[in-house]
Amino acid sequence: MNTEIIKIDKVKFETKELEEAINILRRGGLVAFPTETVYGLGANALNEEAARKIYAAKGRPSDNPLIIHIADKDALNELASEIPKVAENLVEAFWPGPLTIIFKKSDKVPMSTTGGLDTVAIRMPEEPISLALIKESGVYIAAPSANTSGRPSPTKAEHVMDDLNGKIDMIIDGGPVGIGLESTIVDVTSDIPTILRPGFITKDMLETVIGEVEIDQAILDSESDIKPKAPGMKYKHYAPKGDITIFEGNLEDVISQINKKAKENVLNGIKVGIIATDETVHSYNYGIIKSIGTRKDNTSIARSMFALLREFDDLEVEYIYTESFRDAGLGQAIMNRLLKAAGHHVINA
Ligand code: TXA
Ligand code: MG
């Protein structure tokens, strides 16, 4: 298949630039497009055949359900069979934006989109290209992250090309995304709303609007055998080819431990990558040293994490050593992704 690539300026574009993408979606094809979180791989959510194509292109397990993207809050009435009051409040506060909400599904939503579940994940993105694409096509767009299953989520069109060129109809290049981590997922079908995947919208932010919120136990306790409530969270994910180790503890100790490990390996001819920060990047002496962002602003770290993991892939490093970014708030989402990428390999420095 020939994958068409079009460039669109997300600040100033005209609807007619989306015409071909709209046609592809209407006839059941696949279009990758930017959202504010990561690039998505879109298809008509109500067309079983189109949804199935997504799984094939990504190599995604068929029990892993898709998020449906809408451009208008009223679409909820069509896709969800029940809209609890807390959900109304969340929609009011956070849509459009990086929040996915799990509802009981309506009969309109095919099982091929929900991976056989009777619930459905819905989100209204904020990014102008994605909103226009949904609105103008009149199609509800099912879209997982536009990566090959198991690879880091794409935050630039180039990442999508690396993974899916030749497998999908079109890639819309709208430049790098703003957030860089996938949306927060919250389930409102349980008594107490539950976070199934941490993201840019934090537990605190949700609680300010709806009161008590829980976090899926399986996410907090990575060692446990509890099955995560979001099927996708159980898969080894985001994993680069290099073996990642996270170093935790006092920053000075972390730096000295990483330097020691890096030196050992580099002197043995082994390629090592180091994930540092703007504050620490000059403290390392061996290996390929890259800053992920500044500790003064967590959003900078979130934005470059997946891209950095892909860069180290391209450089074919064998080991990646990284500092830890644990804290409340956004740190929870960052560490959730990093721990998965590292297969939970953590060393206490
Ligand atoms: O930011 C995002 O959410 C991006 C952009 C493209 O919107 N999309 C995204 O999709 O991250 P994906 O498919 O990579 O992740 C969707 C997650 C998976 O972990 C899946 O298991 C979970 O959402 N999910 C979808 N429907 C669900 C449902 N009905 N119940 C529980 N989890 C669900
Ligand atoms: Mg994904």
Side-chain angles (χ1 to χ4, degrees), residues 38-39 58 60 64 143-154 182 197 232 237-238:
V38 298
Y39 272 74
K58 279 182 60 92
R60 180 176 174 107
N64 191 4
S145 48
N147 51 292
T148 298
S149 246
R151 294 214 67 206
S153 290
E182 308 87 344
R197 179 173 71 183
H237 231 195
Y238 318 117

Side-chain angles (χ1 to χ4, degrees), residues 33-41 58 60 63-69 98 100 102-103 113-115 117-123 125 143-147 153 181-185 187 196-197 229-235 237-238 340:
F33 61 96
T35 81
E36 69 273 31
T37 56
V38 298
Y39 272 74
L41 176 59
K58 279 182 60 92
R60 180 176 174 107
D63 69 343
N64 191 4
L66 306 173
I67 297 173
I68 302 186
H69 296 66
T100 296
I102 309 283
F103 296 93
T113 297
T114 66
L117 299 175
D118 57 6
T119 52
V120 60
I122 304 178
R123 144 164 141 84
S145 48
N147 51 292
S153 290
L181 298 179
E182 308 87 344
S183 60
T184 305
I185 302 179
D187 183 353
L196 308 191
R197 179 173 71 183
K229 295 197 175 91
M233 298 298 277
K234 73 172 177 271
Y235 295 105
H237 231 195
Y238 318 117
K340 279 180 110 180

Side-chain angles (χ1 to χ4, degrees), residues 262-298:
K263 179 176 179 183
E264 247 170 57
N265 281 300
V266 169
L267 293 182
N268 281 314
I270 295 168
K271 219 168 179 182
V272 169
I274 294 177
I275 299 182
T277 52
D278 292 354
E279 289 77 16
T280 60
V281 72
H282 299 296
S283 310
Y284 297 100
N285 312 310
Y286 293 89
I288 305 167
I289 305 146
K290 290 185 184 283
S291 172
I292 192 172
T294 168
R295 285 187 178 275
K296 295 192 193 97
D297 177 11
N298 256 341

Side-chain angles (χ1 to χ4, degrees), residues 1-3 30 53 56-59 148 163-169:
M1 181 188 285
N2 176 45
T3 302
L30 301 184
K53 285 184 194 166
K58 279 182 60 92
T148 298
D163 284 10
L164 299 177
N165 204 4
K167 296 183 175 167
I168 62 178
D169 298 285

